[in-house]
């Protein structure tokens, strides 16, 4: 079915016990929203076994890190988890594109059966296992639409909470009970989990990420605003670290500082060596070149990031050298009797090769 999706460049498939995954890589000119819709429609046409869960279709995107947020506070793992999820939801509502967790303590449901049930011969472990499984799977109830517009319909009847599992009927030839009558059901921490500590306290780290095109400065402003406006008690502390937006800010300040210093020095030197009009032309050429570069970055969908800022800083010296070379050639031609217009156009043509 997926072979019918347009603009696929590569397709990878991987199967493990109990699960399988398929990765699709699209061509650079593909409309990803349209491609995602095509994939969803094709997957909906596949008839899966009744015991299979609904396929998850995820559009992978590249996210850039803004900062990491350490959360410390409650001693209880459950309370700390709840606090982390609350902060995560609040930041997402503020416009943060994506958040990852480090240090969240994972829990799993434990069903502890009463051994008397088996001693009395009232049931078997396989019988109880099948009863739990039958109530823990979303059932397919059909589909709607035809062809590429066909959509699968599922009945969401999974028993996921302890009180839901307790209500599962366990029937035998002689008796009928609910699972809660013969077993205790509760959450327990998964084994072999790593734990995070910050200054002796349990901690959870939220990796705050931004989508391509989102401003890092706007994002950190929203994060700081949220942390200032919301209080979670005296025991709760937040700490931002590995703030990548500061690297962008420092590069931007370096670009502006070097650009301004270069403008002043070049204007003074060229005004003394040549004429102030030509010095002014060189000074104006530098910001014009940078603004033009930023304009084309915007037109072609690129953003101001660490790489583009590094390129602008490196090219600043090249821009200065090129403007001086062209201006000096034009000045020499004018000294030899050429008109201002001829000297300017002639200098640009003669220096085109060296500048490139």
């Amino acid at each position: 079915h997926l072979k019918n999706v347009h603009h696929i460049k590569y397709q990878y498939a991987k199967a493990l016990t109990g699960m399988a995954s398929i990765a699709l890589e699209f061509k650079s000119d593909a409309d990803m929203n349209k491609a995602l819709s095509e994939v969803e429609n094709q997957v909906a046409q596949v008839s899966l076994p009744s015991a299979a869960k609904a396929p998850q279709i995820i559009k992978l995107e590249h996210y850039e890190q803004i900062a990491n947020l350490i959360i410390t506070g409650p001693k209880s793992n459950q309370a700390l988890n709840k606090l982390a999820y609350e902060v995560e939801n609040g930041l997402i509502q503020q416009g943060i594109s994506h958040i990852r967790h480090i240090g969240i303590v994972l829990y799993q449901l434990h069903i502890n059966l009463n051994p008397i049930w088996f001693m009395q011969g009232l049931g078997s472990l396989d019988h109880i296992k099948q009863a739990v499984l039958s109530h823990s799977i979303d059932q397919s109830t059909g589909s709607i639409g035809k062809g590429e517009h066909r959509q699968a319909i599922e009945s969401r009847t999974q028993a996921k909470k302890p009180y839901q599992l307790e209500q599962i009927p366990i029937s035998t030839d002689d008796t009928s009970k609910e699972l809660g009558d013969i077993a205790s059901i509760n959450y327990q921490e998964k084994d072999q989990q790593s734990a995070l500590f910050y200054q002796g306290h349990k901690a959870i780290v939220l990796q705050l990420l931004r989508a391509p095109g989102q401003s890092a400065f706007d994002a950190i402003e929203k994060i700081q605003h949220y942390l200032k406006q919301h209080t979670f008690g005296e025991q709760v502390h937040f700490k931002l670290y590995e703030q990548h937006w500061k690297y962008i800010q420092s590069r931007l300040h370096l670009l502006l500082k070097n650009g301004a210093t270069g403008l002043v020095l070049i204007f003074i030197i060229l005004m003394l060596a040549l004429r102030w009009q030509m010095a002014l032309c060189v000074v104006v050429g530098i910001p014009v070149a940078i603004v033009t570069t930023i304009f084309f970055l915007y037109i072609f969908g690129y953003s101001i990031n660490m790489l583009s800022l590094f390129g602008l800083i490196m090219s600043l010296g090249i821009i200065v050298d090129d403007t001086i070379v062209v201006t000096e050639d034009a000045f020499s031609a004018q000294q030899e009797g050429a008109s201002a217009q001829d000297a300017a156009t002639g200098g640009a043509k003669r220096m085109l090769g060296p500048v490139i």
Side-chain angles (χ1 to χ4, degrees):
H1 286 273
L2 292 177
K3 291 181 179 179
N4 298 324
V5 178
H6 298 88
H7 303 294
I8 292 180
K9 186 177 180 180
Y10 298 110
Q11 181 173 325
Y12 313 91
K14 182 179 181 181
L16 300 173
T17 304
M19 66 167 292
S21 64
I22 301 175
L24 303 177
E25 183 179 341
F26 289 85
K27 297 177 181 178
S28 58
D29 59 344
D31 184 341
M32 291 309 301
N33 291 327
K34 185 178 180 180
L36 180 62
S37 178
E38 287 188 39
V39 172
E40 290 174 345
N41 289 331
Q42 293 296 329
V43 171
Q45 298 179 40
V46 179
S47 297
L48 297 173
S50 59
K53 293 184 178 180
Q56 293 184 347
I57 302 174
I58 303 173
K59 178 184 174 184
L60 299 179
E61 293 184 316
H62 173 70
Y63 294 95
E64 294 185 3
Q65 185 168 338
I66 305 169
N68 288 341
L69 176 65
I70 298 178
I71 305 175
T72 60
K75 295 182 179 179
S76 166
N77 288 330
Q78 290 184 336
L80 190 59
N81 282 4
K82 182 179 178 181
L83 174 62
Y85 287 128
E86 183 179 351
V87 173
E88 177 190 12
N89 292 331
L91 291 174
I92 289 176
Q93 291 176 2
Q94 292 291 319
I96 304 305
S97 301
H98 193 71
I99 299 177
R100 296 175 185 154
H101 314 100
I102 301 177
I104 289 283
V105 178
L106 302 178
Y107 289 83
Q108 59 187 3
L109 281 167
H110 278 243
I111 302 175
N112 302 304
L113 297 170
N114 190 336
I116 297 178
W117 173 265
F118 301 102
M119 294 172 62
Q120 295 177 350
L122 299 177
S124 66
L125 185 61
D126 287 339
H127 179 71
I128 296 174
K129 175 183 175 182
Q130 292 301 321
V132 173
L133 288 176
S134 65
H135 287 78
S136 302
I137 297 175
D138 291 336
Q139 301 294 330
S140 175
T141 56
S143 62
I144 186 173
K146 295 181 178 180
E148 63 179 8
H149 300 293
R150 181 174 178 266
Q151 297 287 345
I153 302 175
E154 291 186 343
S155 174
R156 298 288 183 177
T157 57
Q158 280 192 17
K160 298 180 179 179
K161 304 292 184 181
Y163 74 89
Q164 294 173 327
L165 291 171
E166 290 173 353
Q167 298 172 3
I168 294 177
I170 306 295
S171 301
T172 62
D173 296 336
D174 301 325
T175 182
S176 177
K177 291 181 177 292
E178 292 184 344
L179 183 59
D181 298 329
I182 63 172
S184 61
I185 305 172
N186 51 45
Y187 283 110
Q188 293 185 19
E189 294 182 10
K190 287 186 175 182
D191 297 331
Q192 297 180 347
Q193 294 190 75
S194 58
L196 292 182
F197 290 87
Y198 178 70
Q199 295 182 346
H201 301 282
K202 290 183 179 179
I204 290 177
V205 173
L206 299 183
Q207 290 184 323
L208 310 176
L209 310 171
R210 64 186 178 97
Q214 184 181 18
S215 171
F217 300 125
D218 289 343
I220 193 63
E221 185 177 348
K222 293 175 181 178
I223 295 169
Q224 292 173 342
H225 176 75
Y226 175 83
L227 297 179
K228 289 180 181 179
Q229 294 296 320
H230 294 77
T231 55
F232 300 91
E234 295 181 357
Q235 294 182 342
V236 177
H237 300 282
F238 300 104
K239 173 69 176 179
L240 286 168
Y241 75 102
E242 290 188 1
Q243 302 185 58
H244 287 217
W245 67 276
K246 286 188 174 181
Y247 302 144
I248 300 176
Q249 186 183 53
S250 63
R251 291 281 178 87
L252 187 58
H253 287 169
L254 179 62
L255 175 64
L256 296 175
K257 178 183 176 181
N258 289 355
T261 304
L263 286 176
V264 174
L265 293 176
I266 291 169
F267 181 74
I268 294 174
I269 294 172
L270 293 183
M271 186 177 62
L272 296 175
L274 306 176
R275 293 204 304 265
W276 69 269
Q277 293 94 334
M278 292 190 171
L280 184 62
C281 291
V282 174
V283 170
V284 171
I286 295 173
V288 168
I290 294 177
V291 171
T292 303
T293 302
I294 295 175
F295 173 76
F296 280 104
L297 286 174
Y298 173 77
I299 291 296
F300 289 106
Y302 295 98
S303 63
I304 299 296
N305 50 39
M306 293 287 287
L307 188 61
S308 58
L309 282 176
F310 180 76
L312 285 173
I313 293 172
M314 292 293 292
S315 64
L316 188 60
I318 299 174
I319 295 171
V320 172
D321 291 342
D322 291 343
T323 52
I324 291 175
V325 167
V326 175
T327 304
E328 185 180 12
D329 186 271
F331 178 76
S332 300
Q334 194 173 12
Q335 291 288 93
E336 295 174 358
S339 64
Q341 182 176 355
D342 293 340
T345 55
K349 292 179 180 178
R350 287 188 294 271
M351 292 296 108
L352 179 61
V355 165
I356 293 176

